[in-house]
Amino acid sequence: MSKDYVEPPLVPLLDMEELKSWPFFRAVIAEFVATLLFLYVTVATVIGHKKQANQCDGVGLLGISLAFGGMIFVLWIFWVGPFIGALLAAAYHQHVPRASATKGLGSFRSNPAT
């Protein structure tokens, strides 16, 4: 029995040409900068809290938790932001023009029957 389809060629798991491409280096640089920023802000906040003489002088434990949470939120926005932007654009182009056309032309349900 013969196949009615053509199998695609096998692709290597790790392509050496990809390691030499600019998008790969750009992704590595972005990961490095994001990790450096996260560690710098959070570790500096903890060190600043440990070095303070009086408990009321620095940021406190709430400030440390806000630094960690804030950095995680900012990095999450940069990672998931393009996806959310695409979803918002798709939702806008799907629903807003349709809703404005319905409002502009008037709906049969909103007009009383005469």
Side-chain angles (χ1 to χ4, degrees), residues 10-90:
L10 293 176
V11 178
L13 183 63
L14 181 63
D15 188 13
M16 297 308 284
E17 290 298 319
E18 183 180 356
L19 296 177
K20 299 175 185 175
S21 66
W22 171 243
F24 177 76
F25 284 116
R26 189 175 57 190
V28 169
I29 291 168
E31 287 288 333
F32 178 76
V33 169
T35 304
L36 183 71
L37 182 66
F38 176 73
L39 289 176
Y40 177 75
V41 169
T42 54
V43 172
T45 306
V46 172
I47 290 173
H49 175 67
K50 290 289 185 183
K51 288 191 174 193
Q52 66 189 10
N54 188 0
Q55 290 290 342
C56 297
D57 289 343
V59 294
L61 295 178
L62 180 63
I64 292 172
S65 65
L66 288 174
F68 272 88
M71 285 307 302
I72 289 172
F73 178 73
V74 166
L75 295 177
W76 181 78
I77 290 296
F78 281 115
W79 276 30
V80 182
F83 177 69
I84 291 175
L87 282 178
L88 289 175

Side-chain angles (χ1 to χ4, degrees), residues 1-10:
M1 183 172 227
S2 65
K3 297 180 191 177
D4 59 349
Y5 63 92
V6 177
E7 291 187 15
L10 293 176

